[in-house]
């Protein structure tokens, strides 16, 4: 029985064999590696992955798809909303220090998923995700560009990222109305030891009015915290590189 894509789950199923082969090649799975796939759907990516791995853990919210996936002898199926999955506990359950994470992420909740995984980055070896190209452009953006923002800073703090493959709409069934791409995310071995909540708040304030100089937003926020250090607020948020936001967060933590 044909599965009808469900809009509420943001379902667009990958159907281009050449693109699938390119994605698997970029992931480069090896036998026995502990890997978790988010949103396996109709198993277009799942099958070539598990053929190379031997076994694969998949997370699927759609009850009908989860039922089909359980019929596959080499899959361990977690029927759940990915935002409720504790990836740290999952790595522990699998008996490994780190897991590889892959998936065609639902575009309607891709950013919340990325931030959820950020909380478990210490157990992640690498991540390969298909996402809306516009989101990946923001993830890998450089300072002083229109795509550079909160997502860029928060993710570049913890990951080295690379846009590895363009995926056109016609590669899917049904085709989405946007271009897609595949991103590779490799956690930094020694990231700056800042508190996630503090950096997130700092960056959110900075980019809250991105057309204004920072003295109107972040400057006032820093004054409210009694910050007496040196930080140039005569710039716009997009002009400040990641390492300067991290240094500012570290100095605020030391003051506290």
């Amino acid at each position: 029985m044909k599965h009808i894509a469900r809009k509420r789950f943001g379902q667009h199923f990958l159907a281009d064999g050449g693109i699938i082969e390119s994605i698997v090649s970029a992931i480069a799975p090896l036998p026995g590696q502990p890997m978790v796939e988010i949103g396996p759907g109709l198993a277009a990516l799942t099958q070539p992955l598990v053929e190379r791995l031997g076994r694969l853990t998949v997370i699927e919210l759609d009850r009908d798809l989860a039922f089909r996936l359980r019929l596959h002898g080499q899959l361990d199926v977690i029927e759940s909303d990915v935002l409720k999955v504790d990836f740290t506990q999952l790595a522990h359950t699998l008996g490994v220090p780190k897991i590889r994470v892959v998936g065609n992420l639902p575009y309607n909740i891709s950013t919340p998923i990325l931030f959820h995984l950020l909380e478990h980055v210490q157990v992640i070896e690498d991540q390969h995700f298909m996402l809306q190209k516009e989101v990946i452009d923001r993830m890998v953006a450089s300072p002083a560009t229109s795509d550079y923002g909160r997502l860029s800073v928060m993710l570049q703090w913890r990951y080295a990222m690379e846009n590895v493959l363009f995926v056109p709409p016609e590669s899917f069934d049904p085709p989405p109305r946007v271009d897609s791409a595949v991103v590779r995310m490799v956690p930094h071995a020694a990231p700056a030891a800042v508190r996630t909540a503090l950096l997130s708040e700092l960056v959110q304030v900075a980019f809250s009015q991105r057309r204004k100089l920072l003295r109107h937003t972040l400057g006032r926020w820093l004054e409210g915290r009694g910050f007496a250090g040196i930080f140039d607020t005569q710039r716009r948020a997009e002009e400040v590189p990641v390492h300067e936001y991290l240094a500012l967060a570290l100095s605020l933590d030391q003051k506290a």
Side-chain angles (χ1 to χ4, degrees):
M1 183 177 173
K2 180 176 171 61
H3 181 84
I4 305 300
R6 293 175 176 169
K7 285 187 177 180
R8 67 192 176 102
F9 292 154
Q11 290 177 341
H12 295 278
F13 300 116
L14 196 57
D16 185 318
I19 291 290
I20 292 168
E21 188 176 326
S22 295
I23 295 172
V24 174
S25 177
I27 295 170
L30 296 174
Q33 286 185 326
M35 188 174 290
V36 178
E37 183 186 5
I38 298 170
L42 296 175
L45 189 59
T46 310
Q47 186 57 36
L49 285 175
V50 78
E51 285 173 5
R52 290 159 176 77
L53 294 164
R55 193 149 199 91
L56 176 65
T57 299
V58 297
I59 301 169
E60 178 56 63
L61 176 59
D62 187 307
R63 181 174 57 190
D64 294 340
L65 291 176
F67 175 79
R68 292 188 187 196
L69 292 162
R70 285 196 186 93
L71 300 177
H72 195 300
Q74 295 170 283
L75 300 180
D76 296 311
V77 182
I78 300 172
E79 186 179 332
S80 173
D81 177 348
V82 65
L83 296 176
K84 295 179 180 177
V85 174
D86 184 332
F87 283 84
T88 303
Q89 180 58 47
L90 180 54
H92 178 73
T93 301
L94 292 172
V96 295
K98 298 199 174 189
I99 54 178
R100 304 188 70 191
V101 185
V102 302
N104 174 13
L105 300 189
Y107 291 178
N108 54 342
I109 58 163
S110 59
T111 299
I113 292 173
L114 291 169
F115 279 111
H116 177 61
L117 285 162
L118 188 61
E119 299 172 13
H120 302 279
V121 67
Q122 70 280 355
V123 298
I124 291 172
E125 185 71 35
D126 61 11
Q127 298 174 165
H128 290 81
F129 294 134
M130 181 142 50
L131 295 161
Q132 190 172 334
K133 180 180 177 294
E134 180 183 301
V135 174
I136 293 180
D137 288 344
R138 287 162 48 209
M139 292 165 66
V140 304
S142 300
T145 64
S146 60
D147 287 326
Y148 185 72
R150 177 172 174 257
L151 190 65
S152 319
V153 176
M154 294 302 297
L155 294 182
Q156 289 178 33
W157 161 46
R158 296 307 303 261
Y159 304 94
M161 294 181 292
E162 177 188 3
N163 184 342
V164 295
L165 182 68
F166 173 75
V167 185
E170 56 268 26
S171 299
F172 298 88
D173 181 23
R177 296 179 181 177
V178 296
D179 289 330
S180 305
V182 176
V183 66
R184 176 181 293 122
M185 308 172 68
V186 180
H188 292 304
V194 302
R195 285 187 294 118
T196 304
L198 174 62
L199 181 64
S200 180
E201 183 180 354
L202 187 160
V203 176
Q204 191 166 9
V205 170
F207 284 95
S208 62
Q209 299 181 63
R210 60 183 300 145
R211 292 186 179 182
K212 290 189 175 182
L213 294 178
L214 284 171
R215 62 186 172 86
H216 299 291
T217 53
L218 188 59
R220 291 175 180 173
W221 184 82
L222 290 171
E223 286 176 13
R225 286 177 163 261
F227 177 72
I230 298 172
F231 186 81
D232 181 8
T233 58
Q234 292 299 115
R235 299 175 287 177
R236 291 181 174 83
E238 66 188 39
E239 297 177 287
V240 181
V242 174
H243 71 86
E244 285 196 41
Y245 281 119
L246 296 176
L248 180 59
L250 282 170
S251 66
L252 286 169
D253 245 355
Q254 289 166 0
K255 175 184 174 296

